[in-house]
Amino acid sequence: MEDSICSCRLFKGLEGEQLREALAFFGARELAYRKGEQLIRIGDAMPSFGLVLEGAVSVCSTDINGNRMIMASVGRGETFGESLSFLQVRESPIYAQADSDCRILWLSTSRLHAMQEQQEPEGCAFTGRFIAMLAERTLSMNNRIQVLSKKSLREKLMTFFTQRVQESGSFAFEISMDRSAMADYLGVDRSALSRELSRLRDEGALKFRKNHFEIVDRRLLNQP
């Protein structure tokens, strides 16, 4: 569990008593969820945000037709709901669902607000860490915008794969999402996604088995 916590920007570099004090500051509490269970429901108050200790979580919203849209896929050591918690949103516009059995560390921002108002050094130090974490999440959302801005399905896929290669540092990588979730994230039809993946495999540009992908033709990532 500690590895997942310390890989998060909010707690990176903290050890021993410092880490225990930080967890106490954010009122950390751990809960377990089954695959498919909702962690946050639309309309819920958001006093806390989540840090994934094990498993994976999808953060979703719905369009005007009631279709699911995946806003973010969150894995081990990553957080979700930070902005909504910090802004003390009373009715969440999004929902979060467990993509697998998972354990979540819920963290409250209430003391962050209180200590900022009192201008105490401890509160200021954690505010800096919290802002850095929000900045990382903003970059992650920018990746999603880049994907959605592409016109064709192949362009969306190539942008998505390029981002995964950059994150993993390898042309072979795992994707935590299943095909349905991947299609929702890309904003495309699942059947169309499966056909395009099969075409790329038949062309010898891509290998994949379940959630493991490997870019064979590296020139593919440079296509417009």
Side-chain angles (χ1 to χ4, degrees), residues 62-67 69:
T62 54
D63 63 19
I64 58 175
N65 297 315
N67 299 311
M69 298 186 296

Side-chain angles (χ1 to χ4, degrees), residues 43-57:
D44 281 354
M46 288 289 295
S48 303
F49 63 98
L51 167 59
V52 180
L53 300 178
E54 288 182 1
V57 172

Side-chain angles (χ1 to χ4, degrees), residues 59-146:
V59 178
C60 313
S61 64
T62 54
D63 63 19
I64 58 175
N65 297 315
N67 299 311
R68 181 177 73 155
M69 298 186 296
I70 295 182
M71 309 306 294
S73 182
V74 188
R76 183 174 174 270
E78 297 178 325
T79 57
F80 59 94
E82 315 93 322
S83 298
L84 296 177
S85 175
F86 187 71
L87 293 173
Q88 301 177 313
V89 169
R90 295 188 178 185
E91 294 187 5
S92 173
I94 56 91
Y95 67 94
Q97 181 173 304
D99 291 336
S100 61
D101 290 353
C102 59
R103 292 191 299 131
I104 306 298
L105 193 68
W106 291 102
L107 303 160
S108 171
T109 56
S110 59
R111 284 194 66 192
L112 200 60
H113 283 286
M115 296 189 80
Q116 272 293 97
E117 291 172 2
Q118 298 166 19
Q119 296 185 336
E120 294 190 26
E122 186 181 11
C124 293
F126 284 127
T127 297
R129 286 176 169 272
F130 191 83
I131 290 172
M133 183 179 65
L134 288 180
E136 281 191 345
R137 176 55 61 191
T138 299
L139 289 175
S140 176
M141 293 305 296
N142 182 60
N143 284 345
R144 176 89 198 288
I145 291 170
Q146 288 183 31

